[in-house]
Amino acid sequence: FSEFVIAISTSKMSVPAIPADAKSAKALLAKSVKDVSELPASGLLESIKQSVGPKATAEQKEGAAVMYKAIASSLKGGAVPFLLPLLPDIIVLAGDKKSGEVREAAGKAAKALGKVVSEHGVGNLIPVLLERAEKTTKWQETEVCLKLLQTFSESAPDAVAKRMVDIVPVVSALMWSTKKEIKKASAKTMKKVCESIDNIDLEPFIPALIEAITKPENVEDCVHALASTTFVSTVTSSALSVTVPVLDRGFKTGKVAAVRQTAVIVENMAKLVADPKEVYPFMPVLAPALKKASAEIADPECRERCNAAFKAVAAIGGKATEDAEAAAAKDAEDEAEHKRAIKIVWRDELVNAGVDAKLVKDASMECVLDYTAAVAYGLGKQSEFDQHEWMDELAPAFGALKLSKGDAKLAKAIELTLKEVERLTMEAGGEVFEEDETDTAEQLCDCRFSLAYGSKILLNSARLHLKRGRRYGIIAAKSAGKTTLLRSIANGQLEGFPTEADGLKSVFVEHDIQASQARLNVVGFVLATVNMEGLTEQMVKDTLTPIGFTEQMQNGPITSLSGGWKMKLALARAMLQKADILLLDEPTNHLDVVNVQWVVDYLTGDVCSNVTSLIVSHDTKFLDKTTTHIIHFSPQLKLDMYLGNISKFVERYPEAKAYFDLAAGQLEFQFPPPGALEGVKNRGKAVMQMIDVEFTYPGAPTPQLVEVNIRVALASRVACVGANGAGKSTMIKLLTGELKPSKGQVIRHPNLKFAYVAQHAFHHIESHLDKTPSEYVRWRFGQDGLDKEAETKTTMTITDEEKAAMAKPIEIVYEDEDGKRIKEKRVLEKLMGRRKEGKEYNYEIKWNGKSQDANTYMPRDELIDRGFKKLVDELDRRLLAMEGAYVRTLTQKNVREHYAKVGLEAELCDHTRISALSGGSKVKVVLGACLWPQPHIVILDEPTNYLDREALGALGRAINSFEGGVVLITHNQEFADFTCRETWTVANNRCNIHGTADWASYAQEAIELGLGQDVNTDAAGNTYELAAKKKPESLKPREKKQMIKLLKKKIRNDEEMAPFEQECADAFGVWEM
């Protein structure tokens, strides 16, 4: 056992003879050693070593074992560093061929050591036991080792779990032993050590996994059972240690079904691995098996699953995928170097703390320093840096240095060593902590904690260090746990984080209004929601007035406030509570540019100069202006701390460039291709249009919007901007039909399908939180493809007044069998279908009280004029939905693949309830559901809310590559600039258009320049070629005449020409005409 050395000076040392009976041994020990500091010089350790050699008598061997037990029982933890190097010799005695007394005494001696070793010290004994159990040919030795492992499974389960990767191969091999005693003991040991595995997903299968190790015929059944399991718990090496042997056999069956299921298990488990190093030991098994199956299995679908699993494993295995042995060797080398460094630190800090330098550097103390360095390393690996825990764990081992628990010298040495070990551990784990040493601000907290959501580990012993008055931006990938962290702080659930009881007030800043509070005025709302004794109405008014709340606003209903004013109110409520820490989750959501700047000024101004802020935001410009530090969720489940704002952070962490550049990033979204629209041959042709629209809310004295004229085409990329409350969302609701205009026309192509994601996107799913995303989509579109949510809109619901109007008889004229024209009044029962005659749709009417033979057709416009618009729209929707249902069936597999294209993982799609999803994932649920019908136009109201930067970039790139039209309502200028070429500015009750509104020119120009693909594919998979680039000479005489006339008009009015028009003007000499 090379790590621990027993180096006892033997010069002029008398080596006492050791008695073979326990009573005499205890007497000799009591006489020779008063405390553990006298043990090295007593000669007893050297006597034990000499008495276990091959030439020793049975009495000497028994005496050595008895004395070993006596030392362990009497001196307890202080003796462990000295006894541990002798353990292999004691285990050898347990297999002594000649003497049963020696074997019995050795077994008791090993057991005695097992009882006194500390929990963190157990990790240093396990390698000794495994090495001996694997190498020995004597079953009694093996049995002693196995029994000790069983003991440790109960006394130190965490230590056993950490070593499962080493334990399982040895014990599973012993389960095949022909010796019944070993077979029985190893089976019992395997069962006991597997109890240390903390993975609720695997717990029900552990008996089957153990059985499959010894019964290969059970492998297939075990694999199929595991494949049907939903894995949600974080996967560690202990869980893999018992699973991988069975998976290896699953691959070796060669059966397609078993191999496919094995690959599924590997892929699912790989996604839940938090620390890549946990996988390294298993790469020599998994990587070759998956690679071989990907190349050799006959079934293509199985090969695809194996290849996906290989990619998942390779993504976390890194270099270990190709050379696992080299990776493992490097880890072992790093560990040894780390322990050597800690040993040096112990020696220096003990001397610095005032311990006798001569004693510390004495050769006999080497084993103490080796042992304590190994224990300190283990504590660091588990991110255990509590000084009291270190004192409890290490004080006994330092007894040989005449130190004890509570000793000031030892406390000082532990304090200094702990800090150095923490630094070394952070460096080894890639943990970053940047601190301004000149910053004298008050420290609010410096704690380590772990954080989980359900059974998923989000942070593992992460450090959080906060100072007063500083502003920390929190950066992380999607669903990493940013909001969970803030909520845990606010609820006082974060281990070690100071709470209000400790004098630190943390307030979660939010502006959500409960239904029961909707009737309150602003002042009343503050009084009802701020839990503060002695708060008066006047105190509330004194706080609100300086930040712009007029008396009318303070007395007005809380629901009348826009998003910007609600955020101001939320911050005011936090300050009334005298917050020390503000917890802000997406504070700029729903805010226009003016209000975003107000929040920046507020957080960086004098009001918050003594307040610390923790900020989660996708708005990088906002973070750049506000933050003094960046906290980054690292892949190692730590919180890295960087000085400076996000720009400085990106300099140090280039991979985070996606936080700045929306065009960067690895995540990809893809919108489904829209189908062809009848009569629309040009992507620039308007398919949605508002003409001279005016709208007034019921009871309002003045119109909200007047003279609105806008158009949307398949080529549209529109950003709709304006101040909060200007009427942007109202205009979009008029465009989509959710509101009816007071005046003017709203025209939509009868076959048009559009997706509308509202500003408060979660209202789409608030009644379906108990469903998974897959179940929600299948519910929503499960009836012939019809959108059940669309049926609930007020513009789709027929009112009692409308029903009464529709019930009035209509006079029609029809011809009887003799050709005679007959006038008759009839009542419309329902619309049966439609057909196209020329450029117009005619609808088949079933008349009340008449047979199908009496059905007649009526033009669309006439039906709408007679008040049947909702019936017409309903039939159009039904027919379109049926077409869509034919193109793509509503299966769980199709829904899963659809959601994958908007960044929602299969696990979340199929197995996670919507209520358990993060805000960003819920937005993806809504977006994916709205895109299911493969719309031609996508309308997104504040799509940047709740999405992280990576998802925002993916959304922007998907919009840019979408073959349909897009309209965005957004306050995020960066996102608008990235995606849009036209701007609708809503202000002063009107909509002003900027940029290029003539999308026909864009579409035509794209065709002429040969941009994009030569062949397009519609939603049904049909392909059609784009028109070739036109040339002036290709125009027919009539077209040439019309073009010259148009060009003369444009020249006369000084209007801009499209490139093709300019070519024609040059070719036809129009400039000189």
Side-chain angles (χ1 to χ4, degrees):
F1 189 52
S2 58
E3 287 188 53
F4 297 93
V5 182
I6 180 163
I8 300 173
S9 174
T10 56
S11 58
K12 297 182 182 181
M13 179 186 289
S14 59
V15 180
I18 302 176
D21 66 288
K23 186 175 181 180
S24 300
K26 286 182 179 180
L28 176 60
L29 177 63
K31 180 181 177 183
S32 306
V33 178
K34 293 180 182 178
D35 59 59
V36 71
S37 64
E38 297 178 355
L39 180 61
S42 68
L44 294 177
L45 296 172
E46 186 63 24
S47 294
I48 294 173
K49 192 162 186 65
Q50 291 180 4
S51 300
V52 296
K55 295 182 179 180
T57 65
E59 186 177 13
Q60 288 176 320
K61 292 178 181 178
E62 184 181 359
V66 169
M67 179 56 72
Y68 190 95
K69 177 179 181 296
I71 292 173
S73 301
S74 300
L75 301 180
K76 302 190 182 301
V80 171
F82 301 98
L83 296 179
L84 182 55
L86 294 171
L87 182 59
D89 297 318
I90 297 299
I91 293 175
V92 168
L93 296 184
D96 189 77
K97 291 183 178 180
K98 299 179 180 179
S99 172
E101 287 81 4
V102 172
R103 292 196 296 270
E104 182 181 358
K108 290 179 179 179
K111 187 176 181 180
L113 178 65
K115 285 183 177 179
V116 299
V117 69
S118 67
E119 183 176 352
H120 291 281
V122 164
N124 301 310
L125 265 70
I126 290 176
V128 180
L129 303 178
L130 295 177
E131 182 180 9
R132 197 64 219 157
E134 194 172 24
K135 290 183 176 180
T136 185
T137 57
K138 299 174 182 177
W139 69 267
Q140 294 95 337
E141 292 183 38
T142 302
E143 189 177 36
V144 167
C145 295
L146 292 174
K147 285 182 177 179
L148 273 177
L149 287 175
Q150 293 171 29
T151 300
F152 295 151
S153 298
E154 295 179 356
S155 63
D158 290 342
V160 171
K162 292 287 182 185
R163 292 283 186 175
M164 281 293 283
V165 63
D166 302 314
I167 294 171
V168 170
V170 174
V171 178
S172 60
L174 292 173
M175 291 170 71
W176 288 86
S177 174
T178 56
K179 194 72 177 177
K180 65 178 183 180
E181 290 87 353
I182 297 302
K183 199 167 188 176
K184 182 179 178 181
S186 59
K188 184 178 179 181
T189 302
M190 181 65 82
K191 183 179 178 182
K192 294 291 290 183
V193 296
C194 283
E195 290 175 1
S196 69
I197 300 174
D198 185 18
N199 188 297
I200 59 174
D201 303 329
L202 282 180
E203 281 179 12
F205 300 99
I206 285 177
L209 287 165
I210 295 173
E211 190 174 18
I213 291 174
T214 55
K215 295 181 179 179
E217 65 272 16
N218 292 351
V219 167
E220 285 187 58
D221 290 338
C222 187
V223 165
H224 283 289
L226 277 174
S228 63
T229 302
T230 301
F231 289 95
V232 293
S233 300
T234 299
V235 172
T236 60
S237 58
S238 63
L240 290 169
S241 65
V242 73
T243 310
V244 168
V246 177
L247 298 180
D248 182 35
R249 291 184 179 179
F251 283 121
K252 289 177 179 176
T253 62
K255 297 179 180 179
V256 171
V259 171
R260 183 191 180 283
Q261 297 282 44
T262 305
V264 169
I265 296 167
V266 173
E267 184 179 5
N268 290 342
M269 296 185 77
K271 292 175 182 176
L272 294 169
V273 172
D275 184 356
K277 290 186 178 181
E278 302 273 358
V279 183
Y280 287 0
F282 309 100
M283 295 306 291
V285 175
L286 296 177
L290 287 166
K291 209 168 186 179
K292 182 179 179 182
S294 300
E296 298 180 3
I297 291 291
D299 182 69
E301 200 275 337
C302 182
R303 288 201 306 272
E304 184 181 338
R305 295 301 308 185
C306 291
N307 189 46
F310 178 78
K311 288 179 179 178
V313 170
I316 55 174
K319 293 181 180 178
T321 308
E322 300 299 330
D323 193 349
E325 291 184 6
K330 179 67 168 59
D331 284 347
E333 183 183 334
D334 291 345
E335 179 177 336
E337 181 59 36
H338 200 152
K339 288 178 180 177
R340 283 193 291 271
I342 296 174
K343 180 179 177 181
I344 294 170
V345 172
W346 270 130
R347 183 182 288 122
D348 293 344
E349 298 304 347
L350 284 166
V351 173
N352 292 338
V355 181
D356 183 3
K358 185 178 179 181
L359 180 59
V360 171
K361 296 177 181 179
D362 190 87
S364 64
M365 294 298 112
E366 286 296 303
C367 61
V368 174
L369 295 175
D370 281 329
Y371 177 78
T372 53
V375 172
Y377 174 80
L379 288 165
K381 284 285 285 183
Q382 294 184 35
S383 297
E384 178 57 74
F385 297 109
D386 181 78
Q387 192 166 341
H388 298 292
E389 181 71 22
W390 276 52
M391 178 65 79
D392 291 342
E393 187 69 30
L394 291 162
F398 282 115
L401 292 172
K402 300 180 181 179
L403 299 171
S404 60
K405 185 177 179 181
D407 190 297
K409 294 179 182 178
L410 180 57
K412 183 66 175 175
I414 286 178
E415 178 188 356
L416 297 172
T417 305
L418 183 152
K419 287 183 178 179
E420 185 61 19
V421 170
E422 183 174 18
R423 186 190 66 78
L424 290 171
T425 303
M426 289 176 68
E427 285 183 1
E431 196 171 356
V432 179
F433 180 76
E434 293 183 359
E435 186 176 17
D436 182 0
E437 296 181 358
T438 64
D439 188 354
T440 59
E442 176 192 354
Q443 177 178 293
L444 297 184
C445 83
D446 188 2
C447 59
R448 280 193 177 271
F449 56 88
S450 294
L451 183 67
Y453 186 81
S455 56
K456 181 181 179 181
I457 297 176
L458 302 173
L459 292 170
N460 183 19
S461 192
R463 181 185 183 186
L464 183 60
H465 181 260
L466 303 177
K467 288 191 172 184
R468 186 174 292 281
R470 305 298 174 256
R471 297 174 297 279
Y472 300 85
I474 301 177
I475 302 296
K478 59 179 180 177
S479 303
K482 303 181 290 293
T483 300
T484 303
L485 173 62
L486 296 189
R487 287 286 183 192
S488 298
I489 293 174
N491 297 334
Q493 297 170 329
L494 211 60
E495 181 184 356
F497 194 94
T499 63
E500 192 171 358
D502 304 311
L504 194 71
K505 179 76 171 179
S506 300
V507 177
F508 195 101
V509 179
E510 55 187 335
H511 51 75
D512 292 340
I513 299 169
Q514 305 299 323
S516 59
Q517 301 164 342
R519 295 184 179 181
L520 297 172
N521 64 17
V522 171
V523 173
F525 174 77
V526 174
L527 289 169
T529 55
V530 173
N531 185 21
M532 176 180 164
E533 188 176 346
L535 183 65
T536 65
E537 183 175 325
Q538 189 57 47
M539 291 169 65
V540 173
K541 290 183 176 181
D542 290 344
T543 302
L544 297 180
T545 302
I547 59 175
F549 282 85
T550 64
E551 186 174 350
Q552 182 180 359
M553 293 172 66
Q554 293 178 30
N555 295 325
I558 183 68
T559 52
S560 67
L561 296 180
S562 66
W565 285 105
K566 286 177 182 176
M567 175 50 67
K568 290 182 180 181
L569 184 64
L571 287 168
R573 287 160 55 206
M575 298 316 294
L576 276 169
Q577 296 177 69
K578 295 181 169 52
D580 295 295
I581 298 177
L582 295 177
L583 308 169
L584 301 111
D585 190 7
E586 300 292 357
T588 61
N589 276 1
H590 315 296
L591 302 190
D592 56 24
V593 176
V594 174
N595 282 308
V596 169
Q597 186 58 47
W598 184 91
V599 176
V600 170
D601 295 339
Y602 189 86
L603 294 177
T604 59
D606 294 339
V607 177
C608 293
S609 60
N610 210 33
V611 177
T612 299
S613 300
L614 285 176
I615 308 168
V616 173
S617 177
H618 65 269
D619 188 337
T620 51
K621 291 183 179 179
F622 172 76
L623 288 177
D624 239 8
K625 293 176 181 177
T626 55
T627 54
T628 58
H629 298 72
I630 294 295
I631 296 173
H632 181 237
F633 278 62
S634 75
Q636 291 75 36
L637 306 185
K638 305 294 184 184
L639 292 176
D640 291 341
M641 176 83 79
Y642 295 85
L643 280 172
N645 60 12
I646 197 168
S647 296
K648 295 290 185 183
F649 167 66
V650 171
E651 290 176 11
R652 294 168 174 78
Y653 196 78
E655 298 90 315
K657 187 180 178 183
Y659 291 120
F660 258 2
D661 186 359
L662 291 175
Q666 301 300 315
L667 184 64
E668 291 296 332
F669 288 3
Q670 183 181 348
F671 289 4
L677 272 175
E678 194 170 4
V680 179
K681 299 178 182 178
N682 186 316
R683 290 184 67 227
K685 183 176 180 179
V687 292
M688 301 179 83
Q689 200 165 1
M690 291 172 64
I691 303 172
D692 294 330
V693 167
E694 182 176 306
F695 178 76
T696 305
Y697 278 106
T702 58
Q704 173 76 19
L705 294 168
V706 296
E707 297 179 11
V708 175
N709 291 277
I710 55 176
R711 59 196 297 275
V712 181
L714 295 179
S716 291
R717 294 293 184 274
V718 180
C720 183
V721 300
N724 290 114
K728 303 182 299 296
S729 297
T730 300
M731 186 176 74
I732 295 301
K733 288 179 180 179
L734 288 165
L735 182 65
T736 60
E738 285 199 31
L739 294 175
K740 294 175 66 175
S742 305
K743 292 181 183 179
Q745 283 183 290
V746 178
I747 302 171
R748 290 184 294 276
H749 190 289
N751 290 347
L752 180 73
K753 291 187 286 187
F754 63 85
Y756 175 41
V757 180
Q759 178 177 2
H760 301 284
F762 298 163
H763 91 269
H764 293 275
I765 54 175
E766 61 189 10
S767 300
H768 307 280
L769 298 179
D770 59 341
K771 294 183 176 71
T772 66
S774 177
E775 290 169 344
Y776 168 62
V777 168
R778 285 180 285 144
W779 166 86
R780 181 169 168 177
F781 299 99
Q783 186 177 347
D784 295 328
L786 279 172
D787 186 351
K788 291 180 182 177
E789 283 201 358
E791 295 174 358
T792 63
K793 294 180 179 178
T794 56
T795 52
M796 299 295 180
T797 305
I798 300 175
T799 64
D800 292 337
E801 293 80 2
E802 289 171 328
K803 287 179 182 178
M806 291 179 187
K808 292 179 180 178
I810 301 171
E811 185 178 275
I812 67 166
V813 179
Y814 68 96
E815 292 184 358
D816 62 10
E817 295 176 356
D818 299 327
K820 185 179 178 181
R821 292 173 61 83
I822 300 173
K823 288 184 178 182
E824 184 177 86
K825 288 191 175 183
R826 295 180 181 180
V827 175
L828 186 148
E829 181 180 331
K830 60 181 177 180
L831 299 180
M832 302 295 294
R834 69 183 185 183
R835 67 187 181 193
K836 193 168 187 182
E837 298 180 7
K839 293 186 177 181
E840 187 175 34
Y841 280 105
N842 287 341
Y843 289 73
E844 183 183 0
I845 301 172
K846 168 71 171 66
W847 299 103
N848 194 23
K850 300 287 185 180
S851 67
Q852 296 275 8
D853 294 338
N855 289 2
T856 60
Y857 284 84
M858 186 176 291
R860 175 187 177 88
D861 290 343
E862 186 177 344
L863 275 170
I864 292 174
D865 290 341
R866 290 180 179 273
F868 296 103
K869 183 179 185 303
K870 289 184 178 179
L871 292 182
V872 171
D873 289 344
E874 194 276 333
L875 178 64
D876 290 341
R877 286 191 306 107
R878 189 166 70 247
L879 293 175
L880 286 172
M882 290 174 66
E883 290 175 11
Y886 172 75
V887 170
R888 182 167 56 166
T889 54
L890 193 64
T891 64
Q892 184 171 355
K893 179 176 181 290
N894 284 345
V895 174
R896 183 190 312 123
E897 291 174 352
H898 172 76
Y899 265 125
K901 292 178 180 178
V902 292
L904 194 70
E905 299 170 5
E907 179 67 29
L908 301 181
C909 174
D910 289 345
H911 303 295
T912 307
R913 289 186 174 186
I914 294 173
S915 59
L917 297 177
S918 67
S921 294
K922 285 178 180 175
V923 171
K924 293 171 188 175
V925 171
V926 174
L927 179 62
C930 292
L931 291 173
W932 175 259
Q934 297 169 279
H936 303 95
I937 303 295
V938 176
I939 303 171
L940 305 172
D941 195 346
E942 294 293 358
T944 60
N945 292 345
Y946 303 104
L947 289 180
D948 57 38
R949 290 289 299 181
E950 187 180 21
L952 201 59
L955 177 62
R957 294 190 294 275
I959 288 172
N960 289 340
S961 61
F962 180 45
E963 295 172 18
V966 178
V967 178
L968 306 175
I969 300 178
T970 181
H971 290 127
N972 190 318
Q973 184 178 349
E974 178 191 16
F975 188 71
D977 291 343
F978 181 60
T979 54
C980 299
R981 292 170 291 192
E982 178 184 3
T983 303
W984 297 344
T985 303
V986 181
N988 301 319
N989 309 111
R990 283 173 168 77
C991 178
N992 298 311
I993 299 174
H994 310 279
T996 304
D998 188 1
W999 294 110
S1001 298
Y1002 264 103
Q1004 186 65 33
E1005 182 179 348
I1007 292 172
E1008 291 163 3
L1009 295 176
L1011 298 177
Q1013 297 178 336
D1014 295 327
V1015 177
N1016 270 7
T1017 304
D1018 64 18
N1022 304 311
T1023 60
Y1024 55 93
E1025 293 186 2
L1026 292 174
K1029 179 180 176 181
K1030 280 189 176 183
K1031 297 181 179 179
E1033 55 268 27
S1034 67
L1035 294 180
K1036 295 177 181 179
R1038 179 180 294 179
E1039 292 174 334
K1040 180 178 178 180
K1041 184 177 180 180
Q1042 291 174 343
M1043 176 60 76
I1044 291 173
K1045 183 179 179 181
L1046 173 65
L1047 294 176
K1048 285 181 177 180
K1049 182 181 177 182
K1050 285 200 170 189
I1051 292 172
R1052 187 168 56 251
N1053 297 330
D1054 197 23
E1055 295 179 16
E1056 186 177 354
M1057 293 184 188
F1060 177 63
E1061 291 172 338
Q1062 291 179 2
E1063 285 185 38
C1064 289
D1066 293 336
F1068 302 150
V1070 179
W1071 303 105
E1072 288 79 27
M1073 290 182 182

